[in-house]
Amino acid sequence: MIHKDVIIVGGGAAGFFAAINIAEQNPNLTIAILERGKEGLQKVKISGGGRCNVTHAEFIPQELVLNYPRGEKELLGPFHQFMTGDTIAWFENKGVPLKVEADGRMFPESDSSQTIIDCFLNEAKKHKIEVMYNHVVKAFEKEGVSWYIKTTEGEFTTGKLVVASGSNPKIWKLLENLGHNILNPVPSLFTFDIKDERIQDIPGVVAQHVTIKVLDTDLCSEGPLLITHVGMSAPSILKLSAFGAIELAERDYKFEIEINFINHSFQDCFNMLKEFKHNLAKKTVFKSTQFDLPKRLWQKLVLASEMNSNTRWADLNKQQLENLSSQLTQAVFKVDGKSTFKEEFVTAGGVDLKEINFKTFESKLHKNLYFAGEVINVDAITGGFNFQNAWTGAYIVSKSILE
Ligand SMILES: Cc1cc2nc3c(=O)[nH]c(=O)nc-3n(C[C@H](O)[C@H](O)[C@H](O)COP(=O)(O)OP(=O)(O)OC[C@H]3O[C@@H](n4cnc5c(N)ncnc54)[C@H](O)[C@@H]3O)c2cc1C
């Protein structure tokens, strides 16, 4: 039986960040990370397409929390303790400067997630944190005020147990056995599968600013839309997949969306089309793209409005004008399934937030049991917010363990 002052279950983003911060602030504590894999930080490695989108350049806590479909209310206090600016400073202090991209996402200047991994591994070594690979945690139990942990490679005891196991069903089961409520895990951040003539054969086309509603729900989002080989993606869709993670799972990912491609009302659009009919009378509708839409998308929507590629503006009847206005401002598409968004995905669900003290990230049910990262019922839209949750939780765990 090995005893450590602090044991961290999971050698991912949250586990390493917690361990390093605990060690930095109290070099006398013995700390071990128990990691089931033969390497840790595997998600960091593949994150952000191999570049690791570390955080997001949003510096107002009240604004930052809006990116968390689950955790918005609970993270406000924690973000006042540790958020984006602290993350940037933390990495910069370790010799890892971050840079910001036009959309606010922040990456290491190296554009390589390996820089983050190297930083964590070096820091762990420097602070003599024992990272025990191939240690699959099988059980943990309370023994008075301490904890007993059983792994495939041996048994441990500790005064402080930090669970940073990400979205691992077996660890959730162990926590359930301890009386914790685990909210049903479902995927978040996915793209929509859509088979429809209007988007057939035009993958790669981007509409810069659309509004999308999921019909028969309150779900709505705005932003860029990307047509893919199998459907639709980009921030407008990913936001819906995050905020609708539970509702869309309940519908088995079969639902309808309504897209406004041009952000004008049906009536305003109809009036504008009437002006085009007058001003562009001799031109074909098909060839005179309007509203800054990509040409190929415009042409698809024109053909879906009961006209052909030779129809001239002057020849449009009221019905055709209405059809085109409808395609541009309230086009309905049937979603039938989802696909993985390869740049980032995350699980909604996890330890019930009501059972966590957000001043310390300690369990309200069990003393000396702490959580950090994706294991809790917090998740965010794409853009670096999921890692920020891991850094913030892990940092506060480190503070509370010291106190
Ligand atoms: C492809 C992809 C790309 C992503 N890109 C980004 C991005 O760019 N920006 C962003 O903000 N978020 C991104 N995310 C989300 C982000 O990776 C997670 O939110 C984050 O990794 C959560 O950190 P964590 O430490 O809580 O969990 P994890 O990183 O999943 O780490 C948990 C660790 O616990 C270990 N473990 C689990 N069970 C046991 C057990 N029984 N015993 C021992 N060890 C165990 C696992 O092996 C793992 O190493 C991405 C996710 C994916 C899948």
Side-chain angles (χ1 to χ4, degrees):
M1 185 92 72
I2 300 171
H3 180 81
K4 299 282 174 193
D5 296 322
V6 182
I7 284 195
I8 294 162
V9 179
F16 268 87
F17 204 73
I20 294 163
N21 281 290
I22 296 165
E24 261 187 350
Q25 295 170 64
N26 193 337
N28 301 322
L29 293 180
T30 53
I31 305 167
I33 296 177
L34 305 177
E35 166 56 45
R36 70 175 168 177
K38 63 178 192 310
E39 283 176 82
L41 298 165
Q42 288 307 292
K43 273 203 201 166
V44 171
K45 192 167 191 167
I46 55 170
S47 65
R51 295 198 299 143
C52 188
N53 179 192
V54 180
T55 187
H56 199 96
E58 172 55 72
F59 300 94
I60 303 165
Q62 286 79 354
E63 294 292 322
L64 186 61
V65 291
L66 299 179
N67 298 290
Y68 294 82
R70 284 147 293 273
E72 177 184 336
K73 184 167 67 97
E74 292 79 3
L75 286 179
L76 187 58
F79 282 154
H80 277 96
Q81 285 198 57
F82 190 93
M83 62 173 264
T84 321
D86 307 294
T87 304
I88 298 168
W90 194 94
F91 281 102
E92 191 134 353
N93 264 330
K94 308 280 185 282
V96 181
L98 304 182
K99 58 166 182 174
V100 59
E101 302 212 325
D103 58 4
R105 292 181 303 159
M106 299 199 70
F107 295 88
E109 270 181 12
S110 64
D111 266 334
S112 166
S113 56
Q114 192 58 43
T115 314
I116 305 293
I117 296 175
D118 291 344
C119 164
F120 285 168
L121 294 179
N122 289 339
E123 289 296 316
K125 198 166 165 196
K126 186 167 118 194
H127 294 292
K128 301 194 171 52
I129 295 163
E130 271 193 78
V131 189
M132 301 183 163
Y133 296 109
N134 301 310
H135 280 63
V136 185
V137 171
K138 291 292 201 189
F140 38 77
E141 283 163 24
K142 224 167 159 178
E143 282 189 340
V145 288
S146 9
W147 290 90
Y148 159 81
I149 301 118
K150 190 175 168 197
T151 77
T152 44
E153 296 295 314
E155 296 168 43
F156 297 80
T157 56
T158 186
K160 309 275 184 186
L161 179 61
V162 182
V163 180
S165 47
S167 43
N168 184 280
K170 290 197 176 131
I171 299 288
W172 276 327
K173 188 78 206 143
L174 296 179
L175 291 168
E176 230 166 30
N177 294 343
L178 287 173
H180 270 293
N181 181 33
I182 305 298
L183 285 124
N184 188 23
V186 291
S188 180
L189 295 182
F190 47 84
T191 63
F192 294 175
D193 292 354
I194 299 169
K195 277 204 186 86
D196 192 293
E197 177 52 39
R198 289 167 292 176
I199 57 166
Q200 189 89 39
D201 305 324
I202 57 165
V205 163
V206 176
Q208 282 307 339
H209 193 92
V210 306
T211 304
I212 310 181
K213 285 187 216 159
V214 178
L215 295 178
D216 301 325
T217 73
D218 295 331
L219 296 167
C220 183
S221 82
E222 284 179 29
L225 173 82
L226 168 72
I227 312 293
T228 69
H229 288 281
V230 288
M232 293 180 183
S233 180
S236 59
I237 296 289
L238 295 163
K239 252 185 258 172
L240 287 176
S241 78
F243 281 92
I246 295 162
E247 222 167 332
L248 302 181
E250 280 165 4
R251 288 166 190 239
D252 198 19
Y253 307 103
K254 290 179 181 22
F255 50 91
E256 286 185 329
I257 54 173
E258 184 187 287
I259 306 184
N260 187 331
F261 286 104
I262 58 169
N263 289 304
H264 288 290
S265 68
F266 172 87
Q267 194 55 48
D268 285 354
C269 176
F270 180 76
N271 293 340
M272 284 188 255
L273 294 178
K274 275 204 298 195
E275 280 177 33
F276 297 149
K277 176 178 158 75
H278 180 73
N279 297 338
L280 304 169
K282 289 195 175 138
K283 299 209 158 133
T284 65
V285 184
F286 188 77
K287 284 197 181 143
S288 42
T289 309
Q290 299 298 329
F291 303 107
D292 284 333
L293 276 182
K295 187 170 87 186
R296 288 191 295 163
L297 179 60
W298 167 264
Q299 293 178 340
K300 286 279 190 185
L301 297 177
V302 166
L303 295 180
S305 306
E306 284 171 36
M307 52 186 102
N308 61 41
S309 54
N310 298 318
T311 311
R312 288 170 197 275
W313 283 99
D315 301 331
L316 291 185
N317 59 35
K318 182 166 177 264
Q319 186 60 56
Q320 286 169 314
L321 286 170
E322 280 179 355
N323 288 347
L324 184 54
S325 182
S326 174
Q327 287 298 337
L328 290 165
T329 62
Q330 40 191 238
V332 174
F333 291 85
K334 259 197 179 129
V335 178
D336 186 11
K338 62 172 177 56
S339 293
T340 305
F341 173 58
K342 297 211 174 57
E343 290 253 315
E344 178 173 354
F345 51 88
V346 78
T347 305
V351 179
D352 196 335
L353 304 185
K354 289 197 225 71
E355 298 173 349
I356 300 166
N357 174 353
F358 279 91
K359 291 202 172 86
T360 55
F361 280 70
E362 188 175 12
S363 159
K364 285 185 184 169
L365 274 53
H366 299 282
K367 231 184 138 21
N368 297 328
L369 173 64
Y370 299 83
F371 302 109
E374 210 175 300
V375 65
I376 67 173
N377 184 27
V378 166
D379 61 274
I381 62 169
T382 181
F385 306 103
N386 283 302
F387 277 139
Q388 187 56 56
N389 167 52
W391 315 139
T392 295
Y395 181 81
I396 294 176
V397 165
S398 78
K399 280 301 223 191
S400 30
I401 281 185
L402 300 173
E403 279 158 16

